[in-house]
Amino acid sequence: MPGIPDHEFVRNDEVPMTKEEVRVLALSKAGLFRGAKFLDIGCGTGSVTVEAALFVGDNGMVYAVDRDEKAIELTRRNVERFGLKNVVIIHGEAPGVIHEINEVFDSVFIGGGSENIEGIIEAVHDRLRSGGRIVIDAILIDTVYKAVKALERFGFSDIDVTEVIIAKGLRTRVGLAMISRNPIFIVSGVKYA
């Protein structure tokens, strides 16, 4: 079932993690199915990788990419923790590393790479099947703007931007308080070509 609680993942404060509610929404926009081939760029702790791998099943494949060695190690530990055999973990910098993967993907998630989002989208476009979906999460409005412009330039359709603001309950001595997390933008599009 999607939405693994965040506390079930091995974590490190230095490595970002896509939180459970955002993860569920992003993966729903990714249009995953059993047997799909999925690419997670900027995998961080591997939370998206793990959820996607569980969803696509043994006949599917998930590739997790990150430039940070700490992120790669955390992703590896979380993949092992959940007993997954359908994940390939790649230490490398996007977009260059994307060209080294000999695969056509059904869906791509970009959770990192805001510094070079246009170059990553261009590289992904060449590796995404017709009808494939791209999903980008971002905290910066600048990243959203650049992502939308790049998706338009490369002919993606059904481009959508959703802002997600999650508040989680925190028990205090007098009751329950809602504590907001940082707003997240989810940008998505479909490749038709």
Side-chain angles (χ1 to χ4, degrees), residues 12 22 28 42 80 95 98 109 112 130 151 155 163 178 190:
N12 174 330
V22 174
S28 73
E80 290 170 0
I98 297 167
F109 175 74
S130 179
L151 291 173
E163 182 181 17
M178 297 305 291
V190 180

Side-chain angles (χ1 to χ4, degrees), residues 45-46 49-50 74-85 87 89:
T45 60
T49 294
V50 166
L74 272 178
T75 296
R76 184 173 287 111
R77 289 176 63 194
N78 281 310
V79 165
E80 290 170 0
R81 181 182 182 115
F82 286 87
L84 299 167
K85 306 292 185 206
V87 176
I89 301 170

Side-chain angles (χ1 to χ4, degrees), residues 48-185:
V48 170
T49 294
V50 166
E51 293 250 24
L54 289 168
F55 193 89
V56 302
D58 294 338
N59 293 329
M61 185 59 68
V62 174
Y63 292 80
V65 173
D66 208 294
R67 66 183 176 192
D68 182 353
E69 187 60 49
K70 290 176 185 170
I72 290 297
E73 181 54 32
L74 272 178
T75 296
R76 184 173 287 111
R77 289 176 63 194
N78 281 310
V79 165
E80 290 170 0
R81 181 182 182 115
F82 286 87
L84 299 167
K85 306 292 185 206
N86 60 342
V87 176
V88 175
I89 301 170
I90 302 166
H91 181 232
E93 179 105 25
V97 72
I98 297 167
H99 299 294
E100 299 171 15
I101 304 170
N102 189 24
E103 191 68 78
V104 174
F105 296 99
D106 298 294
S107 185
V108 174
F109 175 74
I110 304 172
S114 60
E115 306 89 18
N116 194 11
I117 194 69
E118 298 100 328
I120 293 171
I121 291 171
E122 180 177 9
V124 162
H125 181 266
D126 296 337
R127 296 297 181 142
L128 194 60
R129 72 167 172 80
S130 179
R133 295 175 177 262
I134 186 171
V135 179
I136 302 147
D137 79 351
I139 58 172
L140 300 176
I141 295 170
D142 296 343
T143 304
V144 173
Y145 176 79
K146 290 175 186 176
V148 169
K149 289 300 177 193
L151 291 173
E152 289 172 347
R153 188 168 69 250
F154 291 104
F156 283 85
S157 61
D158 302 329
I159 297 170
D160 181 64
V161 178
T162 302
E163 182 181 17
V164 180
I165 302 170
I166 303 291
K168 296 287 280 186
L170 176 67
R171 183 89 34 211
T172 70
R173 66 176 180 80
V174 294
L176 190 66
M178 297 305 291
I179 307 300
S180 291
R181 292 183 170 169
N182 291 337
I184 302 290
F185 297 96

Side-chain angles (χ1 to χ4, degrees), residues 1-4 51:
M1 174 167 40
I4 298 169
E51 293 250 24

Side-chain angles (χ1 to χ4, degrees), residues 4-7 9-12 15-20 23 43-48 78 137:
I4 298 169
D6 291 341
H7 69 267
F9 292 95
V10 179
R11 300 193 49 200
N12 174 330
V15 178
M17 180 172 103
T18 302
K19 304 295 190 294
E20 73 184 87
R23 202 167 50 242
C43 57
T45 60
S47 65
V48 170
N78 281 310
D137 79 351

